[in-house]
Amino acid sequence: MKLYERPSLLFAACALTLAVALTGCGTSEPSPERSATGDGAGVAKVETPAVTVGDCRLEAASGLPEDAEVVPCAERHDEEVFHEIEMPDGTFSQQAVEAASAECVGDAFTAFVGVQREASALGVYPIPPAEETWDQPDGRTVYCVLFDPAGQIEGTLEGAAR
């Protein structure tokens, strides 16, 4: 069983993570600055994540996750973000990220889809964090993404049992 059914998407996810880390900006508008006094003093800006559980997305022509367009799940789409894994505090470890990413094809997959990955026709891939984003807000999150290798889908894949 391969975890990475779409190697180009894995490469694109890594490129996105690196691009965000190097530019210091995301694809979404930043959240407003706030402080206990309401004036924003002494508070760093927090970027909202480009990926959110529940997003249904159209794969971009570029193949880059940050270029994917979020659409309502009732419309035709290519993929659905179904789970996130928060990595623990500490030093970045590629091995730990890869081990945690296995959850995308384990219990999280079974609970969401309704069948085990081995019995499913659906594909899954992780969007992993990178060392460059590790200390940023939401920089330790692994996102799990479902897709149907047969083509676009309408509606959520939750409970699809296929």
Side-chain angles (χ1 to χ4, degrees), residues 91-162:
T91 305
F92 175 82
S93 164
Q94 185 64 42
Q95 290 174 326
V97 169
E98 289 174 7
S101 295
E103 187 177 325
C104 291
V105 296
D107 291 341
F109 183 96
T110 303
F112 190 81
V113 176
V115 296
Q116 292 183 342
R117 170 64 189 105
E118 295 81 15
S120 178
L122 300 175
V124 60
Y125 72 92
I127 299 176
E131 187 171 8
E132 296 80 11
T133 64
W134 195 250
D135 293 322
Q136 296 178 6
D138 297 315
R140 297 173 188 221
T141 306
V142 177
Y143 293 96
C144 303
V145 183
L146 281 172
F147 65 95
D148 187 340
Q152 289 188 321
I153 53 170
E154 288 183 29
T156 182
L157 291 169
E158 185 172 10
R162 59 181 177 101

Side-chain angles (χ1 to χ4, degrees), residues 49-92:
V51 178
T52 303
V53 170
D55 282 353
C56 290
R57 301 157 27 115
L58 292 173
E59 188 176 324
S62 68
L64 298 174
E66 75 268 22
D67 293 341
E69 178 184 351
V70 176
V71 298
C73 290
E75 294 181 14
R76 294 187 68 72
H77 56 277
D78 299 307
E79 57 192 33
E80 180 175 356
V81 181
F82 73 98
H83 185 67
E84 67 183 15
I85 304 155
E86 294 296 326
M87 298 296 297
D89 290 343
T91 305
F92 175 82

Side-chain angles (χ1 to χ4, degrees), residues 28-53:
S28 301
E29 291 296 317
S31 301
E33 292 181 336
R34 299 181 193 269
S35 72
T37 60
D39 63 1
V43 177
K45 286 186 178 181
V46 176
E47 299 290 330
T48 56
V51 178
T52 303
V53 170

Side-chain angles (χ1 to χ4, degrees), residues 14-26 130-134 136:
C14 292
L16 163 68
T17 303
L18 182 59
V20 170
L22 294 176
T23 62
C25 61
E131 187 171 8
E132 296 80 11
T133 64
W134 195 250
Q136 296 178 6

